[in-house]
Amino acid sequence: MKLIDLSHPLEHGQLNFPWDPKISVLVHNTVAAIGYNITHLSLSTHQGTHLDAPFHFYDDGKTIDQMSLQQFYGKTKLIDFAPGSALAAKTPLTVEMFAPHADQFQPGAKIIYRTGWDRQFGRPEYFSEFPTLTLPAARWIADRRIGLLGMDTPTPSTDWKECHHILLKAGVEIVIVEGLTRLEQLPETFVFMGFPLNIKGRDGAPIRAVALVEE
């Protein structure tokens, strides 16, 4: 078995959504000064590769620390919408695109889809031109009560508020994993691990997303 890192590294000044807090990774002290290196870190709970808890869009939704670790780990299916390539900017991700994979969308299932958009990471258009999940497709996915939905885009949809409301509402509560990368290295079935920081009472967290695959 081998591990594949599916996470973008965090670094000072990295781009994010314009209304989010800016990431800051600053030297706080050094070996030369006090005998050890230590860093001051300030960032959004939704910086880089991260996941959303229901509390992100619902005041009465579950927070990160209230969620089960099993929700972040397990057998996962990959849907590759652009094998060997990438979808064009602003491509709508429709029900018709997901329907051929309907047998994978079982209650509790973990599904990650690939668009190739991680190639744009670090550019402004990564946050503005990404392939976007349509609201009918979001409802189609929510109706199937899967457990986790991951993607290589910074958020599922340009209709971000409505889409999150559909996927995170009570009775659905799909874990949304955003900003994945290197999905082209994955087989159709693998084990996903993406544990968040245990931030009490909050809405999401950066993760070190990893796939466990057979060599």
Side-chain angles (χ1 to χ4, degrees), residues 44-80:
S44 162
T45 47
H46 300 268
Q47 181 72 42
T49 307
H50 67 279
L51 62 79
D52 297 350
F55 182 68
H56 187 31
F57 277 82
Y58 288 99
D59 283 338
D60 59 352
K62 289 181 181 177
T63 56
I64 281 289
D65 56 306
Q66 295 172 334
M67 300 172 74
S68 166
L69 292 177
Q70 295 300 320
Q71 294 180 262
F72 315 127
Y73 169 86
K75 181 180 176 181
T76 302
K77 293 290 186 176
L78 175 71
I79 299 173
D80 192 343

Side-chain angles (χ1 to χ4, degrees), residues 42-202:
S42 176
L43 74 167
S44 162
T45 47
H46 300 268
Q47 181 72 42
T49 307
H50 67 279
L51 62 79
D52 297 350
F55 182 68
H56 187 31
F57 277 82
Y58 288 99
D59 283 338
D60 59 352
K62 289 181 181 177
T63 56
I64 281 289
D65 56 306
Q66 295 172 334
M67 300 172 74
S68 166
L69 292 177
Q70 295 300 320
Q71 294 180 262
F72 315 127
Y73 169 86
K75 181 180 176 181
T76 302
K77 293 290 186 176
L78 175 71
I79 299 173
D80 192 343
F81 288 130
S85 184
L87 295 179
K90 298 185 177 181
T91 298
L93 305 178
T94 64
V95 173
E96 290 74 21
M97 294 172 69
F98 286 97
H101 309 279
D103 60 335
Q104 308 293 350
F105 284 79
Q106 301 298 320
K110 294 176 174 63
I111 307 288
I112 289 175
Y113 64 81
R114 178 185 174 274
T115 69
W117 199 247
D118 58 323
R119 300 178 183 188
Q120 305 299 324
F121 188 81
R123 302 175 182 176
E125 53 267 31
Y126 176 75
F127 294 99
S128 60
E129 307 290 319
F130 58 91
T132 181
L133 190 67
T134 65
L135 295 184
R139 295 187 189 98
W140 185 91
I141 292 169
D143 287 345
R144 280 147 183 81
R145 298 300 192 266
I146 68 170
L148 180 146
L149 183 68
M151 63 217 64
D152 56 4
T153 57
T155 193
S157 177
T158 52
D159 295 315
W160 53 269
K161 184 176 181 179
E162 296 87 347
C163 186
H164 280 85
H165 281 174
I166 292 167
L167 298 176
L168 296 175
K169 68 182 178 181
V172 178
E173 297 179 331
I174 296 171
V175 176
I176 305 173
V177 180
E178 303 167 346
L180 293 166
T181 189
R182 301 184 192 90
L183 300 182
E184 72 279 357
Q185 298 182 27
L186 300 182
E188 183 178 341
T189 303
F190 60 98
V191 174
F192 176 78
M193 295 170 278
F195 297 106
L197 297 173
N198 191 14
I199 305 172
K200 187 173 179 63
R202 298 317 302 165

